[in-house]
Amino acid sequence: MFLWRDEVLPGVSVAFTDTGAGNLALHVGDNPDDVNIRRVQLEEAAALGSRKFQFMDQVHGNHVEFIASHGAGPTADAMVSAAVIPNGSPQPLAVMVADCVPVVLVGTDSSAKPVIAVAHAGRPGVASGVVTLTVAGMRDHGALDIRAWVGPSICGACYEVPEQLRSEVAAAVPATWSSTSWGTPSLDLPAGVRAQLDAAGVAVEYLGECTLESEALFSYRRDPSTGRFAGLVWTHD
């Protein structure tokens, strides 16, 4: 179910699922009842108890939403959460992808309480700075020390794009400029995300493998009717 999982701070875990967890998205034509069952199984595996992961309606933008508690999925491409009451805890968060870059972030405030976030960094999101805005959103809610985990996504050697598109995105984020392993124009979105995190003073703790190259991961480039895996962050209550 989990491709990778770690307790990154005492009482705070980060994970990325694989195809073993099944499709977790409601927008890809899958049976909604089946998807919801898988989400419950995921929450049980994470030992969330009565809590649930907050998913979002991702639209390839750069809007960052603050989440105080579980509710209807916001239309956004990033979410930040922190405790809003004394002795409370952040809302568990989830981001879904199948080639785009899932970014999970964990910070602490001046009282050593966690501030957590997730970001969906596809090509438009990388170009429009969704990761940078997510870091800023965390700092607006008190995060002083932030680390990032960059999950599996399509790599620069595989993500072929038209020459003009490569030039447009690389003009905004130079680190994305790349070529495929067969010599055609491409974009290295993970490199772009890492460059944005570095510029924001955020260290990358983990970098996932290429979705197109791994059969254990969903890839839209490999199969447009594919499902979605998730990047997750939660506290242990």
Side-chain angles (χ1 to χ4, degrees), residues 14 17 23 41 48 59-62 113 124 126 166 183 197 214 225:
V14 167
T17 67
N23 165 54
Q41 291 171 338
L48 290 191
V59 292
H60 286 281
N62 62 8
K113 294 181 179 179
V126 171
R166 176 173 70 171
L197 289 167
S214 174
S225 63

Side-chain angles (χ1 to χ4, degrees), residues 13-15 42-43 46 48 51-56 58 64-71 74 78-82 90-96 103-106 115-119 134 138 230-235:
S13 285
V14 167
L42 183 63
E43 288 153 357
L48 290 191
R51 297 180 299 156
K52 296 179 177 294
F53 283 113
Q54 179 66 66
F55 290 81
M56 55 185 161
Q58 301 168 186
V64 182
E65 187 84 9
F66 181 78
I67 305 295
S69 60
H70 187 268
M79 297 182 290
V80 174
S81 190
Q91 163 63 39
L93 302 175
V95 55
M96 295 184 296
V103 187
V104 178
L105 304 102
V106 176
V115 180
I116 63 175
V118 294
T134 304
M138 294 179 72
L232 309 163
V233 58
W234 70 97
T235 58

Side-chain angles (χ1 to χ4, degrees), residues 4-145:
W4 184 88
R5 174 179 179 176
D6 193 20
E7 185 173 3
V8 299
L9 286 175
V12 183
S13 285
V14 167
F16 297 94
T17 67
D18 57 15
T19 55
N23 165 54
L24 297 169
L26 291 165
H27 68 285
V28 297
D30 201 349
N31 184 312
D33 291 338
D34 293 339
V35 174
N36 286 324
I37 288 171
R38 294 185 202 114
R39 289 185 178 186
V40 169
Q41 291 171 338
L42 183 63
E43 288 153 357
E44 291 173 346
L48 290 191
S50 62
R51 297 180 299 156
K52 296 179 177 294
F53 283 113
Q54 179 66 66
F55 290 81
M56 55 185 161
D57 180 12
Q58 301 168 186
V59 292
H60 286 281
N62 62 8
H63 176 62
V64 182
E65 187 84 9
F66 181 78
I67 305 295
S69 60
H70 187 268
T75 299
D77 284 277
M79 297 182 290
V80 174
S81 190
V84 294
I85 59 174
N87 301 317
S89 59
Q91 163 63 39
L93 302 175
V95 55
M96 295 184 296
V97 296
D99 281 340
C100 295
V101 186
V103 187
V104 178
L105 304 102
V106 176
T108 53
D109 65 14
S110 58
S111 300
K113 294 181 179 179
V115 180
I116 63 175
V118 294
H120 166 238
R123 174 182 50 78
V126 171
S128 62
V130 67
V131 171
T132 303
L133 291 169
T134 304
V135 173
M138 294 179 72
R139 288 180 172 145
D140 287 344
H141 286 88
L144 301 175
D145 177 33

